[in-house]
């Protein structure tokens, strides 16, 4: 009787799960039939579309003319083409964009296992599930500990119970963790990392697609040196068509004078260090921040993230400086490719405004890690000094405890091609006048190619010539040496474009350079 009763319980339980699965599938099917009044972004069916379906092979999705207006309305929800995304299978095929030399590489059998932490806030169902599906489908099961989805207080119903029910069916553990209130990327990642169990933590954004062979090369570098933090090449998924486009292995991460992350060409010194082998990892001064892997224990040792930072912004440079200055290494592993939907605008709003939050975060990283070079940043971005950046005592103590190197060491040894000029005559919000007699902003220099012509900002070539300017502090003129003409402010005739003209010493040719040389900085 006990055995019979037990069997009835098991049978009843099984029927409950079967009915639950049927309910989920019916729910998803009905969502596809909802009328235009429904909230866009509701989940579609997880079907195995034929390989010639929309977006297969990473190809662009074309929306018919009659659906263009509807597509534009849906675009506003997540700031990408939601209609195109919903047409693409969760497990769509992608091209193998790796270098040929990467495809035959062999990796050790005993690589560390990783937890993949993905933070989302009001993410589209299709992009979120495509991210998770690509992680599971293109990762060796022996290396994938779990996927941890951290919900940063989403308001969309389909990201609540339906998501939890859906991920239960996946063949590796997928957990959904909820933040009690909107906390931002930084604190949500910290929570996800604290609850994960893998030896390595891999952070991904919620609108990514992993390609074949993406994981093994990342984990192999960490196995070789646990203090190496690694990033994949970030391929581009078009926000308009969801076309998959390979990123370049010839770029790496840097930053400009305003502490904005930028991609720059891999310098010759790094090519020489690798002896021309492009399949070897590139040492990068900074990371983009959205996608990287790190040893769990090392992540804790170097202070995880700065929990005093808000929402998003600046955390990627802060952890980059910290890794390098405190004895670690930061690399882009060129044999690993992960696609990312790059949006032209953010669909989210931040308390106090995006600028205020990023200024606070950048002020914290400057105060803790940049030493006297922070003054350079403050001259370029004076508004930063007006924000309340909170208490940095614990972060300064961390730097002292880890016996981290000064920022000057970082600039000399890690980022000698930094756009921060070591010697300059004047600094300002608009441009700087360097000791090399360049007028520059970021890596662009003021250039003149013809007499009495308009001036242009072109890539600094350091060859003087058309980019050589002489400043006369008595006459307040900036003379273009090649043409012996003076920089003249924009006029209505020139359509507001500055130009060079014969020197007349008029007010329009006088330029007052402030913040002249601060020798105490250097």
């Amino acid at each position: 009787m006990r055995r019979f009763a037990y069997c009835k319980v098991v049978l009843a339980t099984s029927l409950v799960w079967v009915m639950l699965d049927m309910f989920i599938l019916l729910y998803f099917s009905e969502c596809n039939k909802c009328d235009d009044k429904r909230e866009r972004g509701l989940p579609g069916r997880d079907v195995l579309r034929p390989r010639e379906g929309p977006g297969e092979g990473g190809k662009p999705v074309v929306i018919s003319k009659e659906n263009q207006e509807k597509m534009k309305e849906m675009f506003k929800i997540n700031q990408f083409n939601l209609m195109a995304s919903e047409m693409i299978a969760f497990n769509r095929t992608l091209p193998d964009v790796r270098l040929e030399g990467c495809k035959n590489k062999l990796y050790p059998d005993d690589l560390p296992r990783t937890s993949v932490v993905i933070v989302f806030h009001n993410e589209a169902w299709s992009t979120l599930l495509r991210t998770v599906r690509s992680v599971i489908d293109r990762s060796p099961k022996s290396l994938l500990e779990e996927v941890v989805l951290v919900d940063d207080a989403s308001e969309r119903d389909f990201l609540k119970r339906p998501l939890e029910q859906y991920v239960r069916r996946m063949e590796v553990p997928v957990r959904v963790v909820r933040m009690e209130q909107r906390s931002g990327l930084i604190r949500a990642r910290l929570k996800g990392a604290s609850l994960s169990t893998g030896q390595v933590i891999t952070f991904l954004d919620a609108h990514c697609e992993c390609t074949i062979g993406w994981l093994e090369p990342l984990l192999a570098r960490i196995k070789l040196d646990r203090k190496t933090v690694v990033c994949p090449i970030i391929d581009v998924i078009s926000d308009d068509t969801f076309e998959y486009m390979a990123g370049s292995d010839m770029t790496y991460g840097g930053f400009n004078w305003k502490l904005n992350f930028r991609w720059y060409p891999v310098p010759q010194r790094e090519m020489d260090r690798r002896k021309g082998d492009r399949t070897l990892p590139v040492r990068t001064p900074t990371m983009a921040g959205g996608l990287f892997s790190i040893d769990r224990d090392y992540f804790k040792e170097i202070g995880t993230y700065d929990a005093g930072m808000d929402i998003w912004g600046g955390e990627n440079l802060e952890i980059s400086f910290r890794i390098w200055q405190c004895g670690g290494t930061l690399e882009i592993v060129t044999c690993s490719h992960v696609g990312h939907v790059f949006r032209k605008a953010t669909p989210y709003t931040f308390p106090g405004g995006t600028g205020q939050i990023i200024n606070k975060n950048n002020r914290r990283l400057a105060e803790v890690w940049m030493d006297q070079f922070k003054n350079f940043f403050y001259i370029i971005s004076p508004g930063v000094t007006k924000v309340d950046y909170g208490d940095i005592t614990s972060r300064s103590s961390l730097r002292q405890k880890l016996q981290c190197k000064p920022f000057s060491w970082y600039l000399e040894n890690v980022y000698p091609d930094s756009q921060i000029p070591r010697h300059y005559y004047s600094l300002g919000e608009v441009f700087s006048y360097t000791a090399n007699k360049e007028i520059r902003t970021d890596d662009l220099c003021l250039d003149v190619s013809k007499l009495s012509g308009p001036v242009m900002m072109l890539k600094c070539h350091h060859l003087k010539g058309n980019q050589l300017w002489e400043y006369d502090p008595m006459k307040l003129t900036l003379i273009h040496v090649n043409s012996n003409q003076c920089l003249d402010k924009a006029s209505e005739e020139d359509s507001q474009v500055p130009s060079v003209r014969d020197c007349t010493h008029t007010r329009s040719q006088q330029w007052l350079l402030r913040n002249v040389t601060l020798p105490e900085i250097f």
Side-chain angles (χ1 to χ4, degrees):
M1 290 295 293
R2 287 183 181 177
R3 181 177 298 178
F4 178 69
Y6 172 76
C7 290
K8 286 201 297 183
V9 170
V10 171
L11 179 61
T13 304
S14 300
L15 286 171
V16 168
W17 281 108
V18 169
M19 292 175 66
L20 183 59
D21 275 351
M22 290 177 64
F23 169 78
I24 293 170
L25 289 173
L26 284 171
Y27 173 80
F28 295 156
S29 298
E30 288 304 311
C31 282
N32 275 350
K33 301 174 185 175
C34 293
D35 61 26
D36 290 340
K37 295 180 181 179
R38 71 174 173 85
E39 180 186 11
R40 302 299 183 186
L42 286 173
R45 290 173 293 173
D46 181 13
V47 295
L48 298 180
R49 292 178 174 83
R51 299 294 85 174
E52 67 271 12
E56 291 297 335
K59 294 203 167 46
V61 175
V62 179
I63 304 297
S64 61
K65 289 183 179 179
E66 56 267 28
N67 285 321
Q68 288 292 314
E69 290 304 315
K70 185 177 179 181
M71 176 196 74
K72 291 175 183 176
E73 284 302 309
M74 293 176 68
F75 194 101
K76 297 174 185 177
I77 300 171
N78 292 91
Q79 287 299 321
F80 54 65
N81 191 339
L82 184 57
M83 180 180 286
S85 180
E86 289 185 341
M87 293 168 63
I88 300 171
F90 292 166
N91 63 341
R92 74 157 165 177
T93 55
L94 293 175
D96 187 347
V97 296
R98 295 175 295 175
L99 295 165
E100 285 302 316
C102 294
K103 296 177 182 178
N104 299 319
K105 283 185 179 288
L106 299 176
Y107 300 100
D109 294 329
D110 57 341
L111 294 176
R113 290 168 62 83
T114 187
S115 296
V116 177
V117 175
I118 301 169
V119 173
F120 67 92
H121 172 73
N122 286 343
E123 186 63 46
W125 178 267
S126 55
T127 47
L128 179 60
L129 268 297
R130 196 175 299 116
T131 302
V132 176
R133 191 74 262 171
S134 72
V135 169
I136 294 173
D137 290 348
R138 300 193 178 105
S139 303
K141 300 300 182 288
S142 60
L143 302 180
L144 189 57
E145 180 81 11
E146 63 187 340
V147 177
V148 180
L149 300 177
V150 186
D151 174 16
D152 188 18
S154 295
E155 294 120 354
R156 297 174 183 173
D157 289 341
F158 62 81
L159 294 173
K160 306 293 185 182
R161 184 174 176 82
L163 177 63
E164 294 175 6
Q165 293 172 331
Y166 185 90
V167 299
R168 285 175 187 164
R169 298 186 290 155
M170 294 187 167
E171 53 270 41
V172 300
V174 181
R175 287 195 284 161
V176 182
V177 176
R178 310 283 183 183
M179 301 297 287
E180 294 181 1
Q181 59 186 17
R182 183 79 196 280
S183 304
L185 176 76
I186 298 166
R187 296 185 184 112
R189 279 189 166 183
L190 284 173
K191 182 166 185 176
S194 69
L195 296 174
S196 63
T197 57
Q199 184 181 339
V200 170
I201 303 170
T202 297
F203 294 104
L204 295 180
D205 282 343
H207 30 267
C208 291
E209 291 181 59
C210 301
T211 67
I212 184 171
W214 77 283
L215 185 57
E216 298 94 315
L218 298 177
L219 299 180
R221 294 301 294 176
I222 293 175
K223 176 179 171 56
L224 195 64
D225 182 353
R226 60 183 289 272
K227 292 186 177 182
T228 298
V229 181
V230 289
C231 311
I233 289 180
I234 305 177
D235 299 331
V236 175
I237 302 173
S238 168
D239 59 343
D240 288 320
T241 66
F242 275 74
E243 180 181 6
Y244 195 101
M245 295 168 281
S248 173
D249 68 290
M250 297 297 288
T251 58
Y252 79 165
F255 59 92
N256 66 10
W257 304 340
K258 293 181 178 290
L259 295 188
N260 297 321
F261 174 86
R262 290 288 185 269
W263 294 108
Y264 295 109
V266 173
Q268 188 59 46
R269 61 179 174 79
E270 185 60 14
M271 296 297 293
D272 294 341
R273 185 189 67 81
R274 298 186 298 160
K275 296 181 172 58
D277 186 351
R278 290 165 56 186
T279 69
L280 294 178
V282 173
R283 291 182 177 176
T284 182
T286 64
M287 69 162 87
L291 296 69
F292 70 96
S293 296
I294 186 169
D295 178 87
R296 161 184 302 283
D297 295 332
Y298 183 58
F299 187 51
K300 293 178 181 177
E301 288 170 21
I302 63 166
T304 64
Y305 278 116
D306 178 1
M309 287 185 166
D310 290 337
I311 310 292
W312 168 90
E315 84 290 341
N316 57 325
L317 296 192
E318 193 274 343
I319 197 171
S320 299
F321 295 167
R322 182 157 36 99
I323 289 165
W324 280 115
Q325 290 176 242
C326 304
T329 302
L330 182 58
E331 294 180 342
I332 295 173
V333 178
T334 54
C335 285
S336 173
H337 282 259
V338 177
H340 181 274
V341 179
F342 286 93
R343 296 180 280 207
K344 300 177 184 70
T346 176
Y348 311 124
T349 57
F350 302 120
T354 305
Q356 182 78 2
I357 289 169
I358 293 177
N359 281 345
K360 173 189 174 179
N361 293 350
N362 281 343
R363 181 81 191 272
R364 288 181 68 88
L365 79 88
E367 287 292 329
V368 176
W369 298 104
M370 292 182 68
D371 304 326
Q372 68 270 32
F373 287 86
K374 67 185 180 184
N375 296 316
F376 184 97
F377 170 51
Y378 295 154
I379 291 170
I380 299 294
S381 305
V384 174
T385 60
K386 300 172 185 176
V387 301
D388 178 7
Y389 59 95
D391 185 1
I392 58 171
T393 304
S394 63
R395 303 308 287 181
S396 298
S397 298
L398 172 70
R399 177 177 176 175
Q400 187 174 11
K401 173 188 173 184
L402 296 177
Q403 298 181 326
C404 304
K405 293 181 174 68
F407 196 67
S408 59
W409 174 90
Y410 170 85
L411 292 176
E412 292 165 10
N413 295 276
V414 178
Y415 199 18
D417 42 350
S418 161
Q419 301 306 327
I420 294 181
R422 306 298 198 284
H423 307 289
Y424 57 88
Y425 178 77
S426 173
L427 292 174
E429 290 182 67
V430 179
F431 62 78
S432 70
Y433 181 57
T434 73
N436 294 327
K437 300 183 179 180
E438 300 164 327
I439 299 175
R440 63 185 293 166
T441 178
D442 200 355
D443 59 342
L444 301 177
C445 284
L446 203 62
D447 189 289
V448 180
S449 58
K450 60 181 180 180
L451 293 176
S452 300
V455 298
M456 297 177 289
M457 299 303 296
L458 299 178
K459 185 80 172 178
C460 297
H461 53 55
H462 313 300
L463 300 175
K464 300 184 178 180
N466 289 340
Q467 296 180 354
L468 184 65
W469 299 85
E470 195 82 57
Y471 182 63
D472 187 329
M474 301 299 295
K475 298 177 181 178
L476 304 181
T477 54
L478 280 163
I479 303 172
H480 184 243
V481 176
N482 264 12
S483 64
N484 199 34
Q485 292 183 310
C486 289
L487 182 65
D488 207 324
K489 76 172 187 177
S491 63
E492 292 182 6
E493 294 80 16
D494 294 323
S495 302
Q496 307 302 316
V497 178
S499 61
V500 289
R501 294 189 173 89
D502 291 337
C503 296
T504 58
H505 310 301
T506 56
R507 289 290 298 272
S508 64
Q509 294 182 352
Q510 293 180 339
W511 304 85
L512 183 61
L513 303 188
R514 294 190 175 94
N515 298 317
V516 177
T517 305
L518 302 176
E520 68 270 16
I521 293 183
F522 303 99

